[in-house]
Amino acid sequence: MPGRVRLEDRECPLSTAVARVGEWWTLLILHDAFDGYTRFDQFQANLGISSSMLTTRLKSLVAEGILERRPYREGPTRHEYVLTDLGHSLRPVVVALAAWGNARLAPDERSMILVDATTGDEVEPVVVDAATGRRVDDSEAFVFAAGPAASPAMRARYPRGGGGAGPRNPRA
C-alpha cells in the first residue's frame, strides 16, 4: 500500500481489499471478466484503456491470484485471462457496487440492471448473513469487532462486544 499507513489499516480487511481491487480500472476489468471477456484485445477495445495500463492491471490481478494467465495460441503465443475461484468470489462485490450506483438513479436512467436469468425480472441484490439470512446493512444489528489476529490498536478500536470507539458509534 502506498504512502504512510497505520498498523490497524494494514491489518484491516477493507484496506487490504481496496489495495488489491479498489482501483478504477481493476474493477472495470473484473466487470468485463464476469461478462466473459478473457483476451487482452477484448478488454482494451471495450474499456478504451491504454496498453500499458491494461498490462499493469492484468499483471497485478494475476499476481493477486484473481486472474489466471493461460496461453490460447502458439506462434506468437497469445494469452487469455481467466477468473480463478478467488476472482469469481469477487462477483457479489461488483454486483453490490453496481446496485449501489443504480440505486442513486431513476429507473429510466439506468443503463445496466441486474435481472433474473430465467425470468428477466429486475432484482435488487442485498448482502445477508449466511447463517440467518438477515440483511447486514443495519449498523445497529451488525457491527465490526476485533478478530482473533487483531493488534492492540485494532482491539481498542473494535472491542469484542462490537462497535468501535470512534465518533460514529453512539454506544462508545
Side-chain angles (χ1 to χ4, degrees):
M1 282 177 246
R4 190 176 205 161
V5 181
R6 300 174 304 170
L7 172 62
E8 64 190 87
D9 290 335
R10 286 193 302 260
E11 70 179 307
C12 173
L14 179 59
S15 296
T16 56
V18 168
R20 290 185 174 118
V21 298
E23 193 270 336
W24 164 275
W25 288 116
T26 301
L27 286 170
L28 296 178
I29 291 165
L30 286 171
H31 178 251
D32 279 1
F34 295 131
D35 281 348
Y37 293 78
T38 60
R39 298 186 179 169
F40 188 96
D41 59 333
Q42 292 173 320
F43 290 117
Q44 188 172 32
N46 190 54
L47 296 173
I49 186 174
S50 72
S51 293
S52 61
M53 179 62 75
L54 181 57
T55 298
T56 300
R57 293 292 152 233
L58 289 172
K59 281 183 180 179
S60 175
L61 287 165
V62 169
E64 293 291 345
I66 294 167
L67 293 176
E68 179 183 342
R69 184 174 184 245
R70 296 181 189 163
Y72 71 87
R73 186 176 78 186
E74 298 297 323
T77 302
R78 299 283 186 208
H79 293 90
E80 64 181 354
Y81 298 86
V82 180
L83 288 161
T84 62
D85 288 343
L86 181 61
H88 281 288
S89 73
L90 284 165
R91 187 170 190 275
V93 176
V94 173
V95 166
L97 281 171
W100 182 86
N102 267 345
R104 274 109 197 106
L105 299 172
D108 63 339
E109 294 176 330
R110 298 173 183 174
S111 61
M112 176 188 72
I113 58 173
L114 186 67
V115 299
D116 182 301
T118 304
T119 65
D121 294 336
E122 186 173 357
V123 297
E124 179 187 351
V126 296
V127 180
V128 299
D129 172 50
T132 64
R134 291 172 44 213
R135 291 175 66 131
V136 299
D137 54 358
D138 179 348
S139 62
E140 294 298 319
F142 293 93
V143 297
F144 289 107
S151 68
M154 190 65 86
R155 289 182 192 285
R157 180 173 177 173
Y158 296 111
R160 191 67 181 154
R168 293 185 54 188
N169 183 347
R171 292 177 285 178

